[in-house]
């Protein structure tokens, strides 16, 4: 949900749906602050999975940006704070390497294994920063400062633990660079270097992506932000495996769950988990709206609209 929420809000009016669903998210939160992996809570559902649980913070913020709904943000705020406090209690060194539940990582990536603690810590910082911004929107000045300072401390811990002096991030995967760049995890002097490593990784894979659920929606925005628009369009327009165009070339009329849901050399993936109508890889829609058509909110709820298309 947090991966696709912004694209969903561009496609349709989803305000009522997400308002109701966020009630389920809050209802499913444990007394300790853990968001469930699935909402409404189902039998056997886990808790506290990095990026999955972060939906409880990210989606309220996205709905505020898309619809200007401060009431929904206020309704979710206490649960957002409890989530950050839980992660911090469990990880006093500010590296999120002790998740209570499963850590799914960059789910269904192709030929890449992004370090799970790198991913989790990036989301920890991102969600903490969003809590700070949410506090500011709600007029909570003390919380604004508290969580802005915590986010900065997490970023510093991230750099110290996972980033080399030349901007290379532990594991050297596309998603590691994408999230670090998109979530402002790196100091100014390392951002351009990290962007170079990202492009080099894409080139090493024959100018193809290999991002899974967590990286795919942030990939093209990160490339665009750091001056790599041509590379972003190359990935968008590819029709060889893995790419969006590959599935289209072989008849897809909906977004697949997996890049390799069907391939011309191996056929179908396991039917145990192989949906051909799934949202996550469709999170590229956010970039299509904001970069190709160039439409984005300059103020919450589109009270001011930014028009800045960047055609390929």
């Amino acid at each position: 949900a947090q991966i696709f929420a912004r694209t969903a809000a561009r496609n349709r009016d989803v305000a009522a749906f997400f308002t109701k669903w966020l009630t389920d998210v809050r209802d499913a939160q444990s007394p300790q602050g853990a968001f469930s992996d699935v909402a409404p809570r189902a039998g056997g559902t886990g808790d506290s999975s990095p990026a999955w649980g972060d939906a409880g913070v990210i989606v309220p913020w996205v709905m505020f940006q898309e619809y200007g709904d401060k009431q929904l943000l206020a309704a979710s705020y206490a649960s957002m704070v409890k989530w950050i406090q839980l992660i911090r209690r469990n990880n006093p060194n500010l590296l999120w390497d002790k998740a209570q539940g499963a850590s799914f990582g960059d789910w269904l990536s192709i030929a890449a294994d992004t370090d799970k603690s790198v991913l989790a810590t990036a989301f920890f910082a991102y969600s903490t920063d969003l809590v700070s911004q949410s506090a500011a929107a709600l007029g909570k000045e003390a919380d604004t400062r508290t969580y802005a300072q915590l986010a900065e401390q997490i970023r510093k811990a991230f750099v110290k633990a996972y980033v080399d002096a030349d901007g290379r991030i532990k594991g050297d995967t596309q998603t590691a660079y994408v999230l670090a760049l998109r979530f402002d995890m790196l100091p100014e002097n390392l951002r351009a270097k990290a962007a170079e490593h990202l492009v080099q990784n894409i080139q090493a894979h024959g100018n193809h992506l290999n991002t899974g659920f967590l990286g795919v929606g942030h990939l093209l925005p990160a490339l665009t932000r750091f001056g790599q628009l041509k590379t972003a369009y190359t990935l968008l327009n590819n029709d060889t495996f893995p790419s969006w165009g590959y599935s289209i070339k072989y008849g897809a009329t909906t977004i697949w769950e997996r890049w390799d849901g069907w391939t011309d050399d191996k056929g179908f993936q396991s039917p145990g988990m192989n949906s051909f109508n799934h949202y996550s890889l469709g999170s590229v829609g956010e970039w299509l709206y904001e970069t190709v058509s160039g439409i984005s909110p300059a103020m919450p709820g589109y009270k001011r609209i930014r028009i800045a298309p960047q055609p390929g």
Side-chain angles (χ1 to χ4, degrees), residues 262-293:
W262 183 90
T263 58
D264 57 0
D265 60 332
K266 295 181 180 178
F268 290 104
Q269 257 283 2
S270 166
M273 192 187 72
N274 195 27
S275 169
F276 286 95
N277 188 7
H278 204 277
Y279 58 89
S280 63
L281 304 184
S283 55
V284 67
E286 174 187 343
W287 183 85
L288 297 176
Y289 284 114
E290 292 197 356
T291 302
V292 181
S293 62

Side-chain angles (χ1 to χ4, degrees), residues 12-31:
R12 296 286 187 271
D13 181 356
V14 294
F17 170 80
F18 275 111
T19 297
K20 193 277 177 194
W21 182 75
L22 282 168
T23 301
D24 296 335
V25 171
R26 294 192 301 271
D27 286 348
Q29 189 176 28
S30 76

Side-chain angles (χ1 to χ4, degrees), residues 163-169 177 186 190 193-194 197:
V163 184
D164 291 345
D166 68 346
R168 197 171 298 277
I169 299 172
Y177 292 115
L186 305 173
L190 293 182
K193 294 178 180 179
H197 295 316

Side-chain angles (χ1 to χ4, degrees), residues 2 50-51 54 58 84 96 118-128 179 183 185 214 218:
Q2 61 90 357
D54 287 291
I58 296 169
I84 297 303
W96 192 3
V118 169
L119 292 176
T121 304
F123 271 94
F124 182 22
Y126 180 52
S127 286
T128 302
L179 296 184
F183 297 166
M185 300 300 295
L214 301 190
H218 296 292

Side-chain angles (χ1 to χ4, degrees), residues 164-292:
D164 291 345
D166 68 346
R168 197 171 298 277
I169 299 172
K170 181 181 179 181
D172 196 33
T173 66
Q174 291 177 20
T175 292
Y177 292 115
V178 164
L179 296 184
L181 291 167
R182 191 87 150 109
F183 297 166
D184 293 323
M185 300 300 295
L186 305 173
E188 290 281 354
N189 66 310
L190 293 182
R191 294 178 184 180
K193 294 178 180 179
E196 289 175 13
H197 295 316
L198 171 59
V199 172
Q200 290 166 1
N201 188 296
I202 292 168
Q203 292 170 342
H205 287 87
N207 287 315
H208 284 79
L209 53 75
N210 63 14
T211 46
F213 277 29
L214 301 190
V216 65
H218 296 292
L219 174 61
L220 304 192
L223 287 167
T224 303
R225 177 180 170 188
F226 289 93
Q228 300 294 338
L229 184 66
K230 183 177 179 180
T231 301
Y233 270 102
T234 295
L235 297 177
L236 181 73
N237 291 318
N238 278 343
D239 66 359
T240 49
F241 179 79
S243 67
W244 294 280
Y246 183 82
S247 57
I248 295 169
K249 184 169 69 173
Y250 285 100
T253 56
T254 48
I255 295 290
W256 296 355
E257 180 177 17
R258 315 175 72 126
W259 295 116
D260 59 352
W262 183 90
T263 58
D264 57 0
D265 60 332
K266 295 181 180 178
F268 290 104
Q269 257 283 2
S270 166
M273 192 187 72
N274 195 27
S275 169
F276 286 95
N277 188 7
H278 204 277
Y279 58 89
S280 63
L281 304 184
S283 55
V284 67
E286 174 187 343
W287 183 85
L288 297 176
Y289 284 114
E290 292 197 356
T291 302
V292 181

